[in-house]
Amino acid sequence: MTIKLLVTDRNLNFLGDPLDGWTKITCDLNFNQPAAGSLTIPARPEYVQLLQPGRRLVVIRDDEIWCAGPLEEPQNFTWDLTTNAGYGMLTANFTDDLARVAGYVTYPQPDHAFTAQLTAVDFTRDLNTTNAEVIIRTLVNENCGPSALTARRIERLVLDDLAGVGGTRTISTRFEPLLDACRTAAATDGLGFRTRQVGNEIRFGVYAPADRRKTARFSAGLGNLRSVAFTLAAPLATSELVLGGNDPDEAATPPNTRVYVEVDAIDATADWYRIEKLIDMTGTEDDSKGQLTQAAVFAQGDDGPQASLATVTVDTADLRAGRDYGLGDKVTVVLPTGLEVADLVQTIRLEATPDGGEVVTSVIGNSDKTTSSAMVRLVRNLERRLGRLEAR
């Protein structure tokens, strides 16, 4: 194991010498979410000068960049006479460059300043019948990438090579958190997106996670399974009932009409029973662009049978994160009961100390017990609903 820590400015220029003498580093890489990392290091004057607002931390593991992005909390200083004599200690919290993309919202007119946006109440940015990957790249490019307004561009951010993934989608967005819009476009095909530093560029790209259920297997017998918890419960809905069209209470000529779209989860209905859920998409006039159907499909991702898998794995010589599987890949967990469960890799965590070496673990499964709690989903649903109300 070799870990090297470097500090850069916003333009990826390296500053000072590599950080030495650190006592602990942790870094969680997350699927379609910004990373979360923490560094603990003696508060030497030269490190205090380096770890400043606007700076970035680059974590290099075995000569490859593991994570690179801004310092979110550059300095958390502690000192006491008994345990932190001398310089004291600094804890710096950092993320990857996807966090900067997450700081933007989608402008209806991305080529206009905020104060110059069209005043039409319902005006949205529509990306119609376009490949999902292209939609995601366009949203990022227009709002914070090379084609964005100068004041909104992220330094050194470029688009990565096209992966050629994803089906045809339609997206309408208006002042929505940029990553929420990207996740909406990615959801149906299960696409992933990420940033990575290559040379003096921050490359934003889209990719299709792989199905590695046969090759990436975790079990107690293989020595790569630390803990597991599994529950199975009924779906929240098997029939998504989408209500579209204009508001019938409003006067209009010709009269406003309602549009109804139903998307059923046939397998879930057969295994369990019919459970209906109403999705209000008032303001979307019809399903000609597939928006009502897409809303139903997106909801199905949360409303299906509640198979709750909470797993922590550990790297072995035969199966390593980043080499044999990556974020978003579908892998297999063999429970002690003999049941085999397939789910997605949500987080890959690196934890290292100079004396103890490194441990790489992965969190598999998307449940209340891992990284996406029911409350988080509830808040996100509320945000989407409020966003639609604000957009009217």
Side-chain angles (χ1 to χ4, degrees), residues 86-337:
Y87 293 113
M89 299 298 291
L90 282 179
T91 298
N93 295 320
F94 61 94
T95 181
D96 60 10
D97 292 303
L98 192 62
R100 294 203 59 189
V101 178
Y104 287 76
V105 298
T106 57
Y107 281 15
Q109 293 178 289
D111 57 343
H112 288 57
F114 178 75
T115 53
Q117 295 293 305
L118 193 68
T119 56
V121 174
D122 292 325
F123 186 77
T124 59
R125 176 67 173 107
D126 296 328
L127 296 164
N128 301 326
T129 58
T130 304
N131 173 270
E133 177 187 9
V134 174
I135 289 176
I136 297 168
R137 288 165 58 93
T138 300
L139 288 169
V140 171
N141 185 35
E142 291 180 342
N143 287 283
C144 61
S147 297
L149 297 173
T150 300
R152 302 186 76 206
R153 291 177 195 163
I154 295 176
E155 299 88 348
R156 298 292 182 179
L157 181 66
V158 299
L159 297 180
D160 212 336
D161 296 335
L162 271 169
V165 296
T168 300
R169 302 285 172 260
T170 295
I171 292 293
S172 293
T173 181
R174 182 175 187 268
F175 300 127
E176 179 183 9
L178 179 53
L179 283 194
D180 282 1
C182 291
R183 291 187 197 101
T184 299
T188 302
D189 299 301
L191 299 180
F193 49 82
R194 61 193 168 197
T195 56
R196 59 193 186 105
Q197 180 176 332
V198 179
N200 64 349
E201 295 178 335
I202 300 170
R203 298 184 183 179
F204 176 89
V206 182
Y207 66 98
D211 186 344
R212 303 191 187 278
R213 287 176 291 179
K214 293 182 179 180
T215 58
R217 297 172 62 84
F218 301 89
S219 71
L222 293 172
N224 55 15
L225 186 61
R226 278 194 164 186
S227 66
V228 61
F230 177 73
T231 59
L232 183 62
L236 301 179
T238 62
S239 298
E240 308 288 351
L241 311 177
V242 186
L243 178 63
N246 293 324
D247 190 339
D249 293 334
E250 293 181 358
T253 304
N256 289 307
T257 58
R258 283 295 194 186
V259 178
Y260 303 94
V261 171
E262 179 177 354
V263 175
D264 294 324
I266 298 174
D267 291 342
T269 303
D271 290 341
W272 296 88
Y273 36 79
R274 183 178 177 88
I275 307 171
E276 298 177 344
K277 176 182 174 182
L278 182 66
I279 301 173
D280 187 0
M281 291 287 290
T282 297
T284 302
E285 295 182 2
D286 54 48
D287 199 35
S288 59
K289 299 176 183 178
Q291 293 166 278
L292 301 181
T293 298
Q294 183 169 274
V297 172
F298 192 80
Q300 280 184 333
D302 286 335
D303 293 340
Q306 301 299 288
S308 173
L309 176 67
T311 301
V312 177
T313 71
V314 63
D315 263 10
T316 65
D318 296 327
L319 191 59
R320 288 171 57 91
R323 185 191 70 186
D324 303 308
Y325 66 93
L327 289 172
D329 288 353
K330 182 171 285 189
V331 299
T332 298
V333 178
V334 183
L335 306 184
T337 61

